Amino acid sequence: MEVFVARQPIVDEHKNVYGYELLYRNSKENTFPQTDGNKATREVLINSFLTIGLERLSQNHPCFINFTEELLMDKVPEYFDPGKLVVEILEDVNWNGDLIKVCRELKEKGFSIALDDVMSIEQRNIQELLTYVDIIKIDIRQSSKTIRTEIGKIAQDKNITLLAEKVETAEEFNQCMREGFELFQGYYISRPVIVSAVDIPLYRSSYFPIIKELSVEEEDINLDRVIQIFERDLALTYKLLRLINFSSSLSKPVQSIKQAVQLFGVEPLKKWMYVFTVEEESPAPASQETMKSSLQRAKMCEQIGISMGHNRLGEQYFLTGLLSAVNVIMQCSSEEVMNTLPLDTAIHEALNGEDNMHRLILDIAVAVEHAEFERLEPILEKMDLSLSELLEIYGQAIAWTEQLYNPHLQMEEVYS
């Protein structure tokens, strides 16, 4: 599944990049498609932070992203690194006391706040809000010089940066500089540029059961059940690892899905499952088959390891097998994928093709899948493992995966 985000640079007076505004797109057509604002923002967040990655999208410059009133009240910005996200607040929000409190809390957590399309700052609530605002964005095509001068005086008094939007000519750029603007955005600098990437689509039948499991009181949550659901879904596991990786406070080598879930924590997981509900596409048949094969391979790797007496490493072998085809789905190299995931060294090396026990077990599983029995013979001669045992493990892995994909079982889990 290909995903898209448009980025438009924001520059200073010397035309050095200060940051990028990230804009919703659902195709290579460079226009904003009419859609719900909440959905648009959630997709921009997922596609930017988890799929494309800020290292590619913005070279780790701050990203300006529009937030609706609903997403602000749900405190969605708090899921992200305040050093990488500028919370851009749309002009149509209701500036009540609750929303101002949210902005104060965001400011206390280190976020920068920008007000979009400001035309007047005479309202009492906006005056109160300015205490927490860092940047005011003014559309120079919709505002008069008189309005811009009035806003500029207040911004100067409160040490707020002015950003000129819709700057389309050199003359406008120079005029805005004379008026006291410090940041600039518009076609004169650059039109929005679309950046795309291939994502692993989520199964709705997986995240609804997780939401159900997490919706009870914390002491009643069956974490083992949550882990089981992650274990059967490559997309969820991959996104969880990406979430851990871009969180500087959490990033550490992960050896298993169980460790990843426990490390991330119940409350953040609840919040992110809410964000993921925006994803509605089903995997394409080819991706679905690859994801299904990944599950079979994961179960094979786990059971081969156990048969060899490596019971305590079964979860590591499972994760190795599960992630072994991510690069195929995402149409990139294994190294590109693995460098974005906080994996244990042994798993990381195995998935990058280096020789270790994890890699040997993965190679055995792949050889069985492809019926490469001649390739297996010299390996099995050195190990206390027979071909008949491998074929039995393979059959059990297929049966286990088919059970997970049984539509009647999926429905029972959603509604039970």
Side-chain angles (χ1 to χ4, degrees):
M1 179 180 78
E2 193 170 14
V3 298
F4 308 88
V5 173
R7 66 176 191 183
Q8 187 173 34
I10 295 167
V11 303
D12 63 19
E13 61 182 3
H14 303 295
K15 299 181 183 175
N16 296 319
V17 173
Y18 173 85
Y20 290 89
E21 179 163 10
L22 303 185
L23 307 164
Y24 174 70
R25 299 289 187 267
N26 63 359
S27 70
K28 292 181 179 178
E29 185 176 343
N30 204 354
T31 57
F32 180 82
Q34 291 303 313
T35 190
D36 172 67
N38 295 318
K39 178 179 184 295
T41 295
R42 284 190 283 174
E43 285 205 14
V44 167
L45 291 168
I46 293 170
N47 295 341
S48 301
F49 284 82
L50 298 189
T51 304
I52 299 172
L54 295 190
E55 64 281 353
R56 177 184 166 204
L57 191 61
S58 68
Q59 292 79 52
N60 290 312
H61 287 94
C63 294
F64 289 63
I65 297 180
N66 289 324
F67 282 86
T68 63
E69 183 175 345
E70 179 179 330
L71 295 178
L72 287 168
M73 295 305 298
D74 287 335
K75 301 186 178 182
V76 171
E78 293 184 14
Y79 310 172
F80 298 89
D81 182 343
K84 297 177 180 177
L85 175 66
V86 177
V87 178
E88 188 167 326
I89 303 177
L90 297 170
E91 67 279 6
D92 58 356
V93 301
N94 177 24
W95 293 115
N96 55 40
D98 289 339
L99 199 56
I100 291 173
K101 179 185 175 184
V102 168
C103 291
R104 182 176 69 246
E105 291 171 350
L106 287 172
K107 186 68 177 176
E108 290 170 351
K109 287 178 166 58
F111 286 92
S112 295
I113 297 175
L115 294 189
D116 191 29
D117 285 343
V118 175
M119 295 295 293
S120 171
I121 51 179
E122 296 176 355
Q123 296 169 281
R124 183 181 61 82
N125 283 352
I126 290 186
Q127 287 286 337
E128 184 179 353
L129 175 72
L130 292 180
T131 305
Y132 313 112
V133 168
D134 301 276
I135 297 169
I136 291 177
K137 301 182 73 173
I138 301 177
D139 184 336
I140 64 169
R141 302 191 166 276
Q142 298 293 325
S143 60
S144 66
K145 183 177 180 181
T146 301
I147 291 174
R148 296 197 297 270
T149 300
E150 291 175 357
I151 295 174
K153 288 178 181 177
I154 295 174
Q156 187 174 24
D157 290 342
K158 294 184 175 293
N159 197 29
I160 297 173
T161 299
L162 289 181
L163 190 159
E165 291 187 286
K166 305 291 177 63
V167 179
E168 297 188 1
T169 67
E171 291 76 14
E172 289 173 344
F173 182 87
N174 293 328
Q175 177 62 34
C176 288
M177 283 185 60
R178 289 193 292 272
E179 291 181 14
F181 285 89
E182 298 174 65
L183 297 175
F184 310 85
Q185 179 181 2
Y187 286 2
Y188 172 66
I189 310 301
S190 172
R191 292 175 178 269
V193 174
I194 291 180
V195 182
S196 66
V198 176
D199 191 19
I200 307 177
L202 288 167
Y203 284 102
R204 294 175 73 84
S205 58
S206 289
Y207 61 68
F208 282 143
I210 289 181
I211 291 171
K212 178 175 177 289
E213 292 289 341
L214 296 176
S215 296
V216 299
E217 295 295 327
E218 185 165 353
E219 60 269 20
D220 297 326
I221 291 174
N222 185 341
L223 204 57
D224 288 338
R225 177 66 185 130
V226 173
I227 293 165
Q228 287 174 2
I229 299 171
F230 269 93
E231 285 178 341
R232 76 179 189 203
D233 195 305
L234 172 61
L236 272 177
T237 297
Y238 173 74
K239 291 180 190 297
L240 175 60
L241 292 169
R242 287 284 280 156
L243 285 169
I244 292 172
N245 196 56
F246 86 65
S247 174
S248 57
S249 62
L250 292 178
S251 186
K252 61 184 294 187
V254 172
Q255 297 181 338
S256 68
I257 294 173
K258 180 179 180 180
Q259 181 197 0
V261 171
Q262 292 174 335
L263 179 65
F264 196 60
V266 169
E267 284 305 314
L269 197 54
K270 282 182 184 178
K271 294 176 181 179
W272 271 99
M273 295 314 298
Y274 161 72
V275 174
F276 288 151
T277 58
V278 72
E279 297 201 9
E280 299 177 356
E281 287 197 49
S282 297
S287 293
Q288 186 169 346
E289 283 305 309
T290 303
M291 293 165 75
K292 193 173 179 180
S293 296
S294 297
L295 281 170
Q296 291 177 4
R297 191 177 294 173
K299 197 64 176 176
M300 280 192 70
C301 289
E302 175 193 69
Q303 293 304 310
I304 291 170
I306 290 172
S307 294
M308 294 170 62
H310 303 168
N311 297 49
R312 66 183 182 84
L313 296 176
E315 292 178 344
Q316 292 189 35
Y317 297 147
F318 184 96
L319 185 56
T320 303
L322 186 65
L323 296 175
S324 61
V326 169
N327 61 305
V328 176
I329 299 173
M330 301 190 69
Q331 301 173 28
C332 59
S333 70
S334 294
E335 188 173 3
E336 284 179 274
V337 176
M338 295 313 132
N339 286 342
T340 67
L341 302 180
L343 296 172
D344 179 77
T345 301
I347 299 174
H348 188 279
E349 290 176 349
L351 292 172
N352 275 335
E354 298 182 36
D355 290 335
N356 59 19
M357 184 56 68
H358 294 64
R359 184 70 202 187
L360 177 61
I361 289 175
L362 177 60
D363 286 342
I364 292 172
V366 173
V368 174
E369 286 177 13
H370 297 165
E372 297 174 343
F373 301 124
E374 291 183 4
R375 178 184 167 196
L376 280 171
E377 284 181 9
I379 300 175
L380 296 181
E381 286 177 1
K382 301 176 183 178
M383 303 169 66
D384 187 19
L385 199 62
S386 68
L387 181 58
S388 60
E389 285 180 278
L390 285 180
L391 293 176
E392 184 178 351
I393 289 172
Y394 184 41
Q396 291 171 348
I398 292 173
W400 177 80
T401 305
E402 289 299 329
Q403 186 181 32
L404 294 182
Y405 275 73
N406 184 314
H408 300 296
L409 178 63
Q410 297 288 343
M411 292 303 292
E412 288 172 10
E413 288 175 343
V414 173
Y415 294 110
S416 61

